[in-house]
Amino acid sequence: MLDLLITHATLPDGRQNMSIAVQDGRIVEVTEGLQAPAHEAVDAGGLLVSPPFVDAHFHMDSTLSYGQPRVNESGTLLEGIALWGELKPTLTHDAIVQRALQYCDMAVARGLLAIRSHVDTSHPSLLPVEALLDVKQRVAPYLDLQLVAFPQDGVLRAPGGLANLKRALDLGVDVVGGIPHFERTMAQGAESVKILCELAAERGKRVDMHCDESDDPHSRHVETLAFETQRLGLHGRVTGSHLTSMHSMDNYYVSKLIPLMAEADLGVVANPLINITLQGRHDTYPKRRGMTRVPELMAAGLTVAFGHDCVLDPWYSGGSADMLEAAHMGLHVGQMTSQAAMRQCFDAVTVNPAKLLGLEGYGIEPGAYADFVLLHARNPVEAIRLRAARLGVWRRGKRLASSPAPVAQLHLPGRPDKVHFTSN
Ligand code: FE2
């Protein structure tokens, strides 16, 4: 007898009436119309079953701290960084752990089962690092938490910045981070990229840097990141996060840059909710959107993900661990409205970030882990349109969360008494 059988599922690639058979935590068969006895049987009723959502860019050490010690009045990135600096001395291990665990509860309910979180390594005590390593262990049975050593105050600009980052890696942080645009000069930023990529190559680590999170069209650290990636043979292991300066760059320069990024097989993470909020703050009108050139990067063959980045923290007052919200915003900001582009927006919160994180056994196919989400939508485009309810969330074949389908009661003469929001 199977552990779990899902029937009448629609898959993200459009296949319908599919059955997904699960045994011992793995998918053993994906085929049309299969019926078999199972301990748990779920009729998807033609709705979408997707592999879980993946967030390639988050800050779990600051999440759910909104308003502590005060609110970001200007709404800028730099005031957010200053505010985080005010909050840091008051942080405790337990407070970070409790906020992070609360966020992971939300994530699981939203079918978000893998998160790459940056963790600030600037504090000499490495308090946030130790707290999130604790969280990583505690959530491991139900959520993959990958940590990036993120030198918020700069590796060269802040005294001890590089040493603290190395200590974080020694403690077990997975990925090398960076923030070249926050170093004192362009030259120091480029130097930081070189140092950090060499460190990653030495230690066999992946790289994911906050890179060019700026409206300055001359912030070109992504060029150095691509160069160092190919020089050190780190192809496919390096991600540039944000890359918002690309929004403002000269088109001729970008026509040279994107092929260099493709040559290095650079990963890209745009954070639409945050980019549209923080960028363009020095503009009057027209105001720039700030998001990097997502459709053009995808067309060049780069792996592009949408990250959530922030939820209720010094930089952002919204969010609820819903990657469909990030996809929805990305679709709008990037004007990705063709059918193919809308489907790419769904990939940008599922398969693409899974690739950037290097997740094993991801996907709905025989041999993969039995991790998936039943969405109250007929297809990926509808899932984004509705920010569809997660009717069921499974990991390793075990149900972790359930939510009801949203149905409104209507009180209108001559009209149905209920309204659903799906297409049929
Ligand atoms: Fe970030």
Side-chain angles (χ1 to χ4, degrees):
M1 184 180 287
L2 294 167
D3 292 335
L4 169 64
L5 180 70
I6 311 268
T7 53
H8 306 112
T10 299
L11 300 184
D13 63 11
R15 282 179 289 164
Q16 295 184 335
N17 195 29
M18 300 302 287
S19 296
I20 304 165
V22 172
Q23 194 76 55
D24 299 326
R26 293 206 181 245
I27 296 171
V28 290
E29 207 171 338
V30 179
T31 189
E32 198 177 335
L34 174 77
Q35 295 286 352
H39 290 293
E40 185 186 7
V42 177
D43 185 346
L47 296 174
L48 178 64
V49 176
S50 165
F53 296 104
V54 180
D55 186 357
H57 189 112
F58 195 63
H59 294 265
M60 208 175 278
D61 46 3
S62 55
T63 194
L64 306 184
S65 69
Y66 183 73
Q68 298 176 26
R70 61 183 177 84
V71 166
N72 184 337
E73 292 297 336
S74 69
T76 59
L77 171 66
L78 293 177
E79 185 176 341
I81 293 174
L83 189 48
W84 175 235
E86 290 171 36
L87 178 58
K88 271 195 271 189
T90 69
L91 293 175
T92 64
H93 182 99
D94 199 44
I96 296 173
V97 169
Q98 291 313 317
R99 287 193 280 100
L101 289 176
Q102 195 186 340
Y103 185 78
C104 290
D105 293 344
M106 292 185 202
V108 168
R110 297 289 198 200
L112 168 56
L113 300 186
I115 300 173
R116 173 181 278 181
S117 175
H118 296 254
V119 54
D120 188 358
T121 59
S122 300
H123 199 286
S125 74
L126 296 183
L127 179 82
V129 171
E130 287 180 351
L132 288 196
L133 283 167
D134 189 0
V135 171
K136 178 180 168 155
Q137 205 172 17
R138 288 163 79 156
V139 302
Y142 54 88
L143 186 145
D144 291 313
L145 177 59
Q146 192 178 84
L147 297 177
V148 185
F150 173 50
Q152 174 75 74
D153 300 337
V155 279
L156 301 176
R157 181 169 172 172
L162 184 59
N164 291 341
L165 182 141
K166 286 180 178 172
R167 282 169 48 224
L169 297 176
D170 293 340
L171 288 173
V173 171
D174 307 282
V175 178
V176 177
I179 187 165
H181 56 276
F182 195 72
E183 302 292 352
R184 282 198 173 84
T185 64
M186 288 291 180
Q188 288 269 284
E191 179 66 14
S192 78
V193 172
K194 180 170 183 282
I195 291 170
L196 292 165
C197 286
E198 286 175 352
L199 180 64
E202 264 169 46
R203 298 199 180 203
K205 300 278 191 190
R206 289 174 186 264
V207 176
D208 188 339
M209 277 185 206
H210 284 66
C211 192
D212 303 321
E213 189 179 3
S214 161
D215 292 317
D216 176 2
H218 300 293
S219 187
R220 295 178 171 186
H221 298 298
V222 61
E223 178 188 89
T224 309
L225 189 64
F227 174 77
E228 292 298 332
T229 300
Q230 65 81 29
R231 181 177 74 86
L232 296 162
L234 293 171
H235 300 78
R237 303 179 61 79
V238 176
T239 294
S241 278
H242 289 294
L243 307 182
T244 52
S245 70
M246 285 185 73
H247 186 93
S248 299
M249 282 174 184
D250 170 71
N251 288 332
Y252 178 82
Y253 173 67
V254 172
S255 76
K256 179 190 174 195
L257 175 64
I258 290 181
L260 291 174
M261 294 167 69
E263 177 194 49
D265 194 10
L266 218 57
V268 171
V269 181
N271 296 297
L273 293 158
I274 306 311
N275 301 151
I276 195 75
T277 307
L278 294 182
Q279 302 310 132
R281 288 279 178 159
H282 295 75
D283 295 355
T284 54
Y285 287 95
K287 286 180 193 279
R288 285 166 287 179
R289 298 158 191 237
M291 190 170 82
T292 196
R293 303 187 187 204
V294 172
E296 293 78 9
L297 290 161
M298 285 180 167
L302 287 111
T303 303
V304 182
F306 289 141
H308 205 314
D309 200 4
C310 301
V311 169
L312 293 172
D313 70 8
W315 296 274
Y316 188 52
S317 56
S320 64
D322 188 351
M323 294 310 295
L324 286 173
E325 212 172 286
H328 190 262
M329 182 59 78
L331 182 156
H332 286 77
V333 176
Q335 299 182 326
M336 297 175 70
T337 52
S338 72
Q339 277 289 320
M342 289 192 285
R343 284 172 187 275
Q344 285 181 312
C345 290
F346 191 82
D347 290 346
V349 291
T350 52
V351 290
N352 294 359
K355 187 176 169 196
L356 297 185
L357 268 66
L359 295 182
E360 306 276 344
Y362 181 88
I364 299 194
E365 59 194 18
Y369 286 124
D371 302 353
F372 36 74
V373 186
L374 172 60
L375 290 146
H376 190 240
R378 302 272 164 197
N379 56 59
V381 174
E382 188 164 82
I384 295 173
R385 177 175 70 83
L386 298 175
R387 275 82 79 216
R390 284 65 165 174
L391 305 178
V393 179
W394 289 263
R395 180 176 153 103
R396 310 298 192 254
K398 299 241 165 25
R399 191 189 280 256
L400 299 183
S402 307
S403 297
V407 179
Q409 300 293 323
L410 281 183
H411 312 285
L412 296 173
R415 297 302 306 153
D417 61 356
K418 284 183 187 148
V419 61
H420 298 265
F421 301 92
T422 50
S423 50
N424 274 307

